[in-house]
Amino acid sequence: MQTSALLQSKTGKDSISEELRAVLHSIGTVKSMEKHMYLFHEGTESEQIFIIKSGLVQVSKLTADGKEMILRICKQQDIIGELTIFSDDSRYMLSAKIIDSGEVLVIQKDQLEKALMSNPHLTFEYLKWTSSHMRKYQSKIRDLLLNGKKGALYSTIIRLSNSYGINKKDGILIDLVLTNQELAKFCAATRESVNRMLVDLRKRDIISMDKTGRIIIKDIDYLRDQIGCENCPIEICNIN
């Protein structure tokens, strides 16, 4: 895993080309989104994909025992609902909840499929891009299965730093306020266990918290060593 500032996350290899983005915008319509509403629910029929113009969207999945596991926190220019293109009777595999009001560009799936089929180059780019997203999901599940709850928390903090991190003189500030309950949902853990792990990291001077509750990573190498970091590329090791 790697660390970076917020701008690096926005301009990394994971971004799509201007040509493909122009096609998406040409067939989309803008829709307002209010905090706490859902863009789509897991298991419902997939008819649209979305590009975030402003605001924040939480993408999550229900586990077998009914618990919610957060997989992504998406921001401006991120695309969601993208994994259902070119599949019959497709349904959303995840749920998308608005956590900060804003706007999204709504794109009908059938229109996008027609646009891509007329341009093989863009079709290849789109499929390559969605493959990268599948690698993200696989790496997050791997972190949880191989490293347990503690490893999942440590990798989540690193991923958050890659997507929302800002370099400061005292460390890397994660410019996103998350409660311990929300962090627990990234790790399939309880709020109490995440609280204990965060307290331990603060005692070890690995992290600190600012006045607004944002995490400052003071020793990211410790987190990387604890999970056996494989130095994943930045387009894989992020939270959006």
Side-chain angles (χ1 to χ4, degrees), residues 11-191:
T11 58
K13 294 180 181 178
D14 192 43
S15 59
I16 61 177
S17 68
E18 289 301 319
E19 182 181 4
L20 177 54
R21 194 171 294 278
V23 169
L24 296 174
H25 280 264
S26 70
I27 58 177
T29 56
V30 177
K31 174 183 177 181
S32 296
M33 56 181 192
E34 300 297 328
K35 188 174 182 178
H36 301 311
M37 71 175 282
Y38 280 82
L39 288 177
F40 52 84
H41 290 273
E42 179 180 348
T44 58
E45 187 175 354
S46 160
E47 298 179 343
Q48 302 164 327
I49 71 168
F50 306 86
I51 300 178
I52 301 173
K53 294 178 67 66
S54 60
L56 292 174
V57 178
Q58 168 189 298
V59 178
S60 61
K61 184 171 184 63
L62 289 178
T63 62
D65 57 358
K67 294 180 180 178
E68 183 183 32
M69 183 174 182
I70 300 174
L71 294 172
R72 301 173 65 190
I73 298 289
C74 303
K75 58 183 182 296
Q76 184 180 17
Q77 298 200 28
D78 285 338
I79 304 177
I80 53 180
E82 75 285 351
L83 300 179
T84 61
I85 297 296
F86 298 122
S87 56
D88 296 329
D89 191 29
S90 60
R91 297 183 179 275
Y92 292 114
M93 296 178 286
L94 308 167
S95 297
K97 179 182 179 181
I98 312 305
I99 59 175
D100 193 3
S101 300
E103 291 184 332
V104 291
L105 188 70
V106 183
I107 301 164
Q108 298 301 319
K109 192 180 75 169
D110 56 349
Q111 293 185 32
L112 175 58
E113 289 175 344
K114 290 178 182 178
L116 292 177
M117 289 176 67
S118 66
N119 191 323
H121 170 72
L122 291 184
T123 301
F124 176 75
E125 180 188 343
Y126 187 89
L127 293 176
K128 186 176 179 180
W129 181 80
T130 55
S131 175
S132 174
H133 273 250
M134 289 302 298
R135 288 177 62 198
K136 285 185 187 180
Y137 293 131
Q138 290 169 352
S139 68
K140 291 170 185 175
I141 299 301
R142 176 203 62 198
D143 289 342
L144 178 59
L145 293 177
L146 296 184
N147 298 310
K149 302 292 193 291
K150 181 179 289 188
L153 176 63
Y154 291 3
S155 66
T156 295
I157 292 173
I158 295 172
R159 291 175 190 275
L160 285 167
S161 76
N162 285 336
S163 292
Y164 295 94
I166 300 174
N167 290 318
K168 300 288 187 178
K169 62 181 180 180
D170 53 345
I172 303 170
L173 170 68
I174 298 177
D175 192 23
L176 183 68
V177 178
L178 293 170
T179 66
N180 288 359
Q181 181 63 54
E182 289 168 329
L183 283 173
K185 290 180 180 180
F186 281 102
C187 314
T190 64
R191 180 184 60 81

